[in-house]
Amino acid sequence: MMGVVDFHSHFFSATFFRALAERSPLPGDPASRLAAVAGKAGIELPSDDTAAHLARWIGELDRHGVEHLCTFASAPEEIPAVCEAAALSQGRLSAFALVDPRAEGAAAKVRELLERKRIRGVLVFPAMHHFLVGGPEARPLLGALADHGAVIFVHCGLLVVKLRDLLGLPRPQDLAYADPLSLIPAANAFPGVRFVIPHFGAGFFRETLMAGAQCANVFVDTSSSNSWMATQVPRLDLAGVFERTLEVFGPERILFGTDSNTFPAGWRADRLQEQRAALVSIRASASDRERILGGNARKLLGLA
């Protein structure tokens, strides 16, 4: 059996932590703010050396039998570090960049990164940046992605970034922009782009299913603790979520992810165990489990 491919993680380099700390209104310099936050959150701050941080991630992948990891630059300032890590990883990492499509030159920058094969796609947060994926702000970005058959992660539903909260950063999230149904016009207009809705829609589960039923180029990923299930009426469990998702998306458009991000937690093997158990409990076939846990990602990324 082939190894697992994790389609959703955050590299969280030293550059990422510094970028957030520099924006924080808390007293003290960025280093002291980070030290205080790391202590409260139980986070080990990474080495300033990108190669050393990469080596720690590769060690986690080797320890848990993970074949490949898709990982995000979670702030614009972090894009060079994550691209460097992917280049040094000998094919173990694929880089994705967080992008605000409203930012000046965003589409041109993404096009350059794609042409130089430094990233495999992008991550967008409509609720944080206040735009609709099907609206005019995103069209230049989607055009660049379409020209390269690239992937766009569109974070929908609930959005709580604990690190931002601990650093005293404002919460700009507006869930009016977080509806998966807003993907439908964009997915229809750009059939060559692969749209991924993380976390089963993070609370907008029904809407995620509807978007997947409407558009064959919409995928879903399974990442995170999936604590959003507590918001559903009637309440769902993970097995039920997988069962409904398989009915709508089929086994070919579901992508395994963990949302692994910081140390000492490292790569979240517990989430793999939970998801495997859920798939077994609904009697998903071995071939369907293999597709979800790695095969679909290999196909999207063109991995050997």
Side-chain angles (χ1 to χ4, degrees):
M1 185 173 179
M2 299 185 78
V4 166
V5 179
D6 185 346
F7 211 71
H8 188 128
S9 72
H10 295 262
F11 191 66
F12 278 4
S13 66
T15 305
F16 166 75
F17 285 100
R18 278 197 301 270
L20 286 192
E22 286 168 0
R23 298 172 199 158
S24 170
L26 296 182
D29 59 25
S32 63
R33 294 170 194 156
L34 278 180
V37 165
K40 290 178 183 176
I43 295 171
E44 294 178 11
L45 294 174
S47 167
D48 286 336
D49 182 350
T50 297
H53 190 49
L54 169 66
R56 194 169 189 188
W57 274 116
I58 295 295
E60 287 287 285
L61 303 187
D62 290 343
R63 185 159 67 94
H64 295 291
V66 180
E67 174 187 330
H68 194 85
L69 184 72
C70 294
T71 198
F72 302 129
S74 303
E77 297 91 334
E78 194 187 17
I79 293 173
V82 176
C83 289
E84 178 188 356
L88 293 172
S89 73
Q90 298 183 336
R92 299 293 297 280
L93 265 63
S94 288
F96 289 77
L98 173 66
V99 175
D100 177 356
R102 307 168 308 154
E104 184 176 355
K109 182 175 182 179
V110 167
R111 188 179 293 277
E112 179 188 4
L113 289 167
L114 289 166
E115 288 173 354
R116 294 169 62 190
K117 301 187 184 303
R118 301 195 70 195
I119 62 171
R120 304 303 300 266
V122 300
L123 167 67
V124 296
F125 283 93
M128 184 176 289
H129 295 134
H130 298 178
F131 72 94
L132 294 174
V133 176
E137 303 97 329
R139 290 191 72 85
L141 172 64
L142 293 172
L145 296 170
D147 289 344
H148 294 271
V151 174
I152 179 170
F153 286 82
V154 184
H155 192 287
C156 301
L158 300 172
L159 177 56
V160 177
V161 185
K162 292 181 181 179
L163 185 61
R164 289 179 60 93
D165 290 346
L166 288 171
L167 286 167
L169 294 168
R171 281 191 174 192
Q173 296 94 313
D174 183 347
L175 294 191
Y177 296 96
D179 191 335
L181 297 181
S182 68
L183 272 69
I184 293 173
N188 286 333
F190 294 91
V193 176
R194 281 75 63 83
F195 294 78
V196 178
I197 302 173
H199 322 313
F200 295 107
F204 284 99
F205 183 51
R206 176 173 174 268
E207 292 80 2
T208 297
L209 296 177
M210 293 172 73
Q214 282 287 122
C215 305
N217 56 331
V218 171
F219 296 71
V220 66
D221 91 29
T222 68
S223 62
S224 86
S225 66
N226 290 306
S227 60
W228 60 266
M229 291 186 293
T231 68
Q232 304 299 289
V233 180
R235 185 165 180 165
L236 293 168
D237 61 16
L238 190 58
V241 169
F242 267 110
E243 190 168 37
R244 295 292 301 280
T245 305
L246 276 163
E247 288 175 5
V248 174
F249 282 83
E252 299 86 5
R253 289 190 288 145
I254 305 173
L255 300 155
F256 166 73
T258 63
D259 205 15
S260 300
N261 46 60
T262 59
F263 291 92
W267 192 77
R268 296 299 301 269
D270 56 328
R271 294 179 179 170
L272 172 61
Q273 292 164 3
E274 290 166 358
Q275 293 184 40
R276 270 186 170 149
L279 287 166
V280 169
S281 75
I282 63 170
R283 299 181 181 177
S285 69
S287 61
D288 286 353
R289 296 198 304 270
E290 197 285 323
R291 288 188 185 99
I292 292 166
L293 296 175
N296 295 334
R298 287 186 206 98
K299 185 175 180 181
L300 275 185
L301 297 169
L303 299 178

